[in-house]
Amino acid sequence: MRLPLDFRRLACLTGLLASMAAIFIADTMTDYAVAASALYLVVILAAARLLDIRAIAPLTAGCIALTVLSFHLTPFGEYRVGVINTCINIVMLVVTAYLVARTERARSALQEAQARLTLISRVTSLGELSASLAHEVNQPLAAIATSGHACLRWLDQDPPNLDKARQAAQRILDDARRAGSIVDRIRSLTRGERPDRHAFDLNAAILEIVALSRDKLSRHAITPLFGLGDGLPPALADRVQIQQVLMNLMLNAIEALQGQPLPNRQMHLDSSLEGGMLVFALADNGGGFPGGEDPDRLFEPFHTTKQRGMGLGLAISKTIIEANGGRIRAETNPAGGATFRFTLPVAEEEAR
Ligand code: ADP
C-alpha cells in the first residue's frame, strides 16, 4: 500500500512546485512585489499539511531563491524599494517556515503521546479489571464465609437450630448470587457494554444493602439512621451496579467510624428528589478526609490512605454512577466526618 501514498505525495509536491512556478511568473511579470511573494507562504503552509515536515526547509529555500531571482528579473520599480521588499519577503518566509515546523513537530509529539496513552490505558484497564474483580468479589465471599461459620454453629448446637441454620444457608445463596452478578456486571462494564438499566425502587435497594451489612454494623455498634424520602419516583439504572456502589460506600463509612468512640458512631442514609434527579447521601461522623485533601482525588484509582486498601472502590463507584447517568461527589461534614452523595436519573424523566 506504499505506492498510492507515495503517488499522493508526488502529486502534492508537483502541485506545490507548479504553484511556486506560477507565483514566480506573476511576481516577475508584475510589480505587486510583497503581494505575489506572500503566496509563497501559502505554499509553505500547504507543504506542512500535505507533505513531510522535512519538505519544509528545501521548499522554503526554493521560495527564497525564486524571490531573489524574480527581483533580479523584474523590470519595474525602484531598486532600493525592491531590495527592501525582497528582504521583507525572505524574513517572512523564514519566520513562517520556522513557526510551521515547530507547530508540526508539536503536533506529531502530541499524536505520539496520545497513542502511548491509549496503549497505557489499555494495559492498566486490564490490570484494573483483575484488581477490581478481586476487590468487589471479596465482599460477598467474606459474607459467605461468615454465614457458613454461623450455619455450622447452629447445626452443632444440641439440638441443632435448623431454622437459624436455614437462614444462614439462605444468606450464603444470596451472597453467592450477588458475587456472580458482580462478575457479570464488571465484565460487561469492561466490554464497554451499557449498564442494564431498569426502573427500580432506590429506597428498597438501599434497605437491602443495609440488611446485608447488618452483622458488620452491629459488630461495630453502628445504628444506621434513615431519612429516606417518601413517594420517590423509581430510579432508572442498573440495580446490581448501584447496590455495589452502596455497599462500597457503606463499608468505607463503617471503616471510617471504627476510629470513633463506641456510643458516638453515626451513619445517616438519606434519599430525596432534587432538580429532577434522585439523590442518595451517606454521611458518617468518622475521621473524615486527611487535612487539606481534595475530595475529588479520592475517586482516582489506587488512591488509598488505608494500610491494606486498594484505592479502587471509589474509582469503580464513580465509573458505575457516571455510566448510569449520575454524578458522585465527596464532601467534608462541617461537624466532622464525610458525606458521599450521588445522583441517578428518574425513570419517568428518561422515558419522556
Ligand atoms: P480503599 O477503601 O481501598 O482505600 P476507596 O476507593 O474505597 O479505596 O477509598 C479511597 C480512600 O477514600 C480511602 O482510602 C479513604 O482515605 C477515603 N475514604 C473513603 N470513604 C471515606 C469515609 N467515609 N471517610 C473518610 N475517608 C474516606
Side-chain angles (χ1 to χ4, degrees):
M1 294 308 283
R2 280 185 65 80
L3 197 60
L5 191 65
D6 287 344
F7 180 74
R8 191 187 69 84
R9 285 216 172 127
L10 195 65
C12 291
L13 184 63
T14 313
L16 289 174
L17 291 175
S19 309
M20 282 164 67
I23 297 166
F24 170 71
I25 293 168
D27 194 18
T28 314
M29 306 295 286
T30 66
D31 64 347
Y32 304 132
V34 176
S37 335
L39 293 173
Y40 285 129
L41 301 181
V42 179
V43 171
I44 292 174
L45 290 171
R49 275 272 136 237
L50 302 173
L51 302 173
D52 201 63
I53 190 169
R54 285 167 300 182
I56 295 176
L59 279 178
T60 309
C63 291
I64 292 173
L66 289 177
T67 307
V68 174
L69 184 61
S70 169
F71 165 66
H72 281 297
L73 298 177
T74 300
F76 319 99
E78 199 190 313
Y79 182 78
R80 202 173 56 89
V81 175
V83 170
I84 293 172
N85 277 343
T86 305
C87 289
I88 291 174
N89 285 334
I90 291 171
V91 170
M92 273 171 27
L93 284 168
V94 171
V95 170
T96 307
Y98 171 72
L99 290 178
V100 165
R102 272 192 65 159
T103 315
E104 281 305 304
R105 215 166 280 136
R107 210 166 58 90
S108 58
L110 185 69
Q111 272 171 353
E112 252 177 53
Q114 269 169 345
R116 261 203 313 273
L117 257 182
T118 313
L119 188 72
I120 290 169
S121 73
R122 267 204 211 116
V123 174
T124 34
S125 61
L126 262 182
E128 270 176 33
L129 168 66
S130 39
S132 64
L133 258 179
H135 181 69
E136 299 297 331
V137 175
N138 258 346
Q139 294 166 6
L141 283 185
I144 287 173
T146 311
S147 305
H149 285 304
C151 186
L152 286 179
R153 268 200 314 277
W154 295 124
L155 289 175
D156 283 346
Q157 274 189 359
D158 197 15
N161 189 332
L162 292 181
D163 257 359
K164 292 276 187 192
R166 197 171 292 115
Q167 282 171 21
Q170 187 57 50
R171 281 204 299 277
I172 291 176
L173 285 179
D174 290 346
D175 279 321
R177 222 168 281 131
R178 240 175 70 72
S181 325
I182 289 170
V183 174
D184 285 349
R185 287 291 177 271
I186 292 189
R187 218 189 272 139
S188 69
L189 253 192
T190 49
R191 276 204 303 257
E193 277 175 23
R194 293 168 66 102
D196 190 10
R197 296 169 74 183
H198 291 291
F200 71 92
D201 180 351
L202 179 63
N203 286 348
I206 296 168
L207 291 172
E208 250 178 49
I209 291 301
V210 175
L212 276 174
S213 329
R214 67 174 174 265
D215 285 349
K216 223 172 176 155
L217 286 168
S218 60
R219 224 177 308 131
H220 295 286
I222 302 166
T223 314
L225 300 171
F226 296 97
L228 304 182
D230 273 337
L232 293 180
L236 185 76
D238 188 316
R239 194 176 196 272
V240 176
Q241 287 186 352
I242 300 307
Q243 285 194 312
Q244 251 175 278
V245 174
L246 289 167
M247 184 60 108
N248 262 321
L249 298 182
M250 285 273 296
L251 293 179
N252 275 342
I254 292 172
E255 284 184 33
L257 282 169
Q258 285 172 28
Q260 279 298 98
L262 269 188
N264 188 28
R265 294 180 173 179
Q266 289 167 16
M267 179 189 282
H268 283 264
L269 297 105
D270 293 280
S271 62
S272 57
L273 185 67
E274 286 171 32
M277 295 286 275
L278 284 164
V279 181
F280 168 79
L282 176 62
D284 63 64
N285 68 335
F289 315 127
E293 175 87 282
D294 173 8
D296 284 345
R297 280 210 61 207
L298 306 177
F299 296 97
E300 288 172 9
F302 305 111
H303 177 89
T304 183
T305 53
K306 299 171 192 168
Q307 226 167 23
R308 299 186 56 210
M310 294 233 266
L312 282 174
L314 288 179
I316 295 169
S317 300
K318 185 169 191 265
T319 312
I320 289 177
I321 294 294
E322 289 179 357
N324 279 280
R327 289 266 167 283
I328 184 165
R329 60 173 206 270
E331 296 153 23
T332 296
N333 296 334
T339 297
F340 284 83
R341 199 182 298 276
F342 68 73
T343 59
L344 285 179
V346 163
E348 290 106 343
E349 286 280 309
E350 201 82 3
R352 241 189 269 151

